[in-house]
Amino acid sequence: MRSHPWFFILTALAAVTALGGFVALAQPSPRLAFHEVLEAGDPAPGFPAGAAVEAIGDTPRIDADGHVSFVVTVRHPVDGLLQALYRQVNGSTERVFKAGDPAPGTAGDFELFPDLPQTPRIQDGRLTFAGSVEDPDVVNRAGIWSDRFGSFDLLVLSGDHLPGLPADAEIADFGFSTRGETVLLRGRYVSGGAAPPENKGLWRNSGGAWEAVLVNRMSAPGVPGAVFGGDPMRVFGPLFAFDAGDGGRVLAQAWMNGPRIDKNNDEALWIESGGGLRILAREGDKADGRKTTFGPTSSSPTFGADGENLVPTVNDRGAALFGAVLRSGKTRLNSVWTNRSGGLALVARGSLPLSGFGQGDQAPGFAPGATFGLFEQGAINESNQIAFQGFADEFDTMSNLTRAIWWDVPGTLALVAAEGRPVPGAPGAVYFDVTLESLNDGGSLFFLAQLAGSGVNAANDRALLRADPDGSVRLVLREGDAVEVAGTVRVVRSFQIGRELSAD
């Protein structure tokens, strides 16, 4: 792994700045020193005099080298309010496109850059972003553009035909994510003038051309005669959740139909390797070699993302971390699994104080008898270390579960932070809420916390903390902190962490 400075991006309000400024951390120090990227009220870079930054859109993104991408709303003295797409590379801020600029690969001009989590992405200083273009026949016709290989190219435009679709089908709407230079597109298509819920799929673009990864009616590998199909509730289509590692290789939670497939075995997790997709775990299969099985479930997913189990995630080495409903007779358990050592291995089982649940595992860091309950989200880094956020059943009541974060970086599974526990570096304060943000490849875990307790008020009740591999936890940033911004001491009024942190 390359050695980089320690970067993150945040949107902040400071007591001496206009609302909406955001800053990027340059180097750790006892007093944090920040580099300001842009501030509401500033002259808008790349525009004529009189144009100013009105607002900063969705939280910016940052790559491993500290390059930043963001969308702003500009107040133009003649044109009024319009959007512009920017990036800052090596300290230089560039306006990439604005509304009204010609959209490469089309006959129209850009209208909007969606203020959504999917846009814009930055990697090695290069952008991949979504936008909409003027079209007399289609309102806000959407597309994706990227300069990952040089100049900006159009990758897809709504109305295009993609591989794996019926001959008369065209992509209607979509969202995207990136893994390095690979773009992954999850979209809905229209065929024969209709777009039922199952008309959806996942595509990948690595070198310039699209390939189908998992599309409705495509053959489901590992199950003879089966094809990917809609979920039992006819809401999500064939694909419920996915993640991707190096080169865009996916871990996908999907449904299928075909011979000898029913509601008890129609869902599986597929993982991709050099040989394509293969089943990692399937609904109805034995989970422990004896009586316990993965699911089945009917109205909710078996593998994670049901509000009680982890959304599947995968690292660049193909190691997965996922949640699953377990069944043993009429008994249910929530659970966490991984394949990081080759075969599937159980990490934790959770239970709730409700009829029908079995006995969950003891929750580390809690008094004897307190078990894991729900599992919300997880992370697995390139060292195959894991962390997850969930709830412990500490008081034997559904109305008072305790949110907490656990990890295995120090060795065995251990508690990082939990509601009601003291906050290191903040005397008198306790955690009111905690949210896992990132587990980096060096084994450091970042999490956000709402604070309560003695001396805590609305001006200092939010903090970013870092847990290190030795098990120590320290405050990184807290509302009310004095920080240095471009040589000036300012007070943090509030902040929001960017959509992603760099791996370092």
Side-chain angles (χ1 to χ4, degrees):
M1 184 178 70
R2 290 182 298 166
S3 176
H4 294 294
W6 179 55
F7 292 110
F8 69 87
I9 186 78
L10 57 86
T11 300
L13 306 184
V16 295
T17 67
L19 299 186
F22 68 85
V23 292
L25 182 66
Q27 292 285 353
S29 63
R31 172 195 281 177
L32 294 182
F34 289 91
H35 164 68
E36 185 171 277
V37 179
L38 196 68
E39 183 178 322
D42 283 349
F47 282 86
V53 175
E54 176 77 9
I56 296 165
D58 190 51
T59 311
R61 293 186 181 271
I62 191 168
D63 67 15
D65 297 298
H67 308 315
V68 181
S69 59
F70 50 100
V71 173
V72 304
T73 300
V74 173
R75 182 173 292 278
H76 193 279
V78 176
D79 299 329
L81 295 178
L82 70 159
Q83 281 189 321
L85 172 63
Y86 286 91
R87 62 181 160 196
Q88 187 180 85
V89 176
N90 298 325
S92 176
T93 300
E94 172 195 10
R95 191 196 79 194
V96 183
F97 290 107
K98 65 173 178 62
D101 285 348
T106 78
D109 297 335
F110 284 117
E111 289 185 310
L112 294 170
F113 305 102
D115 187 17
L116 296 171
Q118 68 177 21
T119 184
R121 301 285 180 128
I122 190 163
Q123 174 74 26
D124 295 326
R126 296 186 178 273
L127 294 182
T128 301
F129 68 94
S132 61
V133 298
E134 296 175 351
D135 189 303
D137 300 317
V138 181
V139 177
N140 290 336
R141 189 174 188 184
I144 298 174
W145 289 261
S146 180
D147 67 344
R148 58 195 171 142
F149 300 133
S151 59
F152 278 100
D153 293 320
L154 173 66
L155 301 187
V156 67
L157 198 64
S158 55
D160 286 353
H161 182 272
L162 294 179
L165 295 181
D168 68 340
E170 59 184 38
I171 196 74
D173 51 64
F174 47 79
F176 81 95
S177 59
T178 59
R179 294 298 182 272
E181 294 178 343
T182 298
V183 180
L184 291 150
L185 182 83
R186 180 175 182 171
R188 179 180 65 91
Y189 63 89
V190 175
S191 179
E198 54 267 27
N199 276 16
K200 295 173 183 174
L202 178 67
W203 292 265
R204 176 173 49 225
N205 186 312
S206 295
W210 291 101
E211 60 175 317
V213 178
L214 193 161
V215 182
N216 183 47
R217 307 302 300 170
M218 178 185 290
S219 294
V223 186
V227 296
F228 292 116
D231 63 283
M233 305 298 290
R234 297 198 73 214
V235 173
F236 305 106
L239 180 65
F240 187 77
F242 81 95
D243 193 22
D246 184 49
R249 292 179 297 178
V250 304
L251 171 68
Q253 175 186 357
W255 285 277
M256 57 187 162
N257 53 58
R260 296 177 297 280
I261 295 175
D262 57 29
K263 64 180 181 180
N264 296 318
N265 63 5
D266 62 349
E267 183 190 345
L269 277 177
W270 277 267
I271 192 166
E272 191 175 18
S273 59
L277 291 171
R278 62 177 178 83
I279 290 179
L280 179 63
R282 182 179 175 184
E283 185 179 41
D285 283 355
K286 293 289 189 291
D288 62 359
R290 298 187 296 277
K291 296 181 179 180
T292 304
T293 60
F294 290 115
T297 59
S298 55
S299 61
S300 63
T302 286
F303 296 104
D306 64 344
E308 296 187 19
N309 289 286
L310 302 183
V311 177
T313 187
V314 66
N315 66 14
D316 288 346
R317 300 168 63 179
L321 182 72
F322 65 92
V325 175
L326 299 182
R327 299 278 187 189
S328 181
K330 295 182 179 180
T331 300
R332 168 183 171 136
L333 287 170
N334 302 319
S335 64
V336 178
W337 294 78
T338 183
N339 69 335
R340 60 183 171 179
S341 297
L344 288 180
L346 178 67
V347 177
R349 295 174 298 180
S351 60
L352 296 174
L354 298 172
S355 176
F357 275 86
Q359 179 64 37
D361 295 335
Q362 171 68 41
F366 285 81
T371 65
F372 289 114
L374 308 178
F375 304 104
E376 292 183 303
Q377 61 170 316
I380 182 165
N381 65 14
E382 298 311 310
S383 300
N384 284 348
Q385 297 165 322
I386 62 173
F388 57 87
Q389 171 188 318
F391 288 87
D393 180 13
E394 186 175 15
F395 304 108
D396 197 30
T397 172
M398 278 296 295
S399 63
N400 195 18
L401 299 176
T402 303
R403 179 175 270 127
I405 298 171
W406 294 269
W407 68 347
D408 71 348
V409 173
T412 58
L413 203 60
L415 180 68
V416 177
E419 292 177 81
R421 274 57 174 179
V423 180
V430 297
Y431 295 114
F432 180 76
D433 199 3
V434 292
T435 304
L436 172 64
E437 290 292 332
S438 175
L439 175 66
N440 71 19
D441 294 343
S444 291
L445 182 149
F446 293 86
F447 65 100
L448 286 172
Q450 288 294 125
L451 311 184
S454 175
V456 178
N457 54 51
N460 63 9
D461 64 351
R462 183 169 169 82
L464 172 69
L465 296 99
R466 170 177 173 157
D468 284 317
D470 61 3
S472 63
V473 178
R474 65 180 177 88
L475 280 169
V476 176
L477 184 70
R478 182 180 177 182
E479 290 176 348
D481 280 355
V483 297
E484 182 182 314
V485 182
T488 302
V489 176
R490 304 185 185 184
V491 176
V492 177
R493 184 182 302 163
S494 66
F495 66 90
Q496 180 181 355
I497 298 296
R499 291 287 180 183
E500 56 198 23
L501 306 180
S502 80
D504 302 284

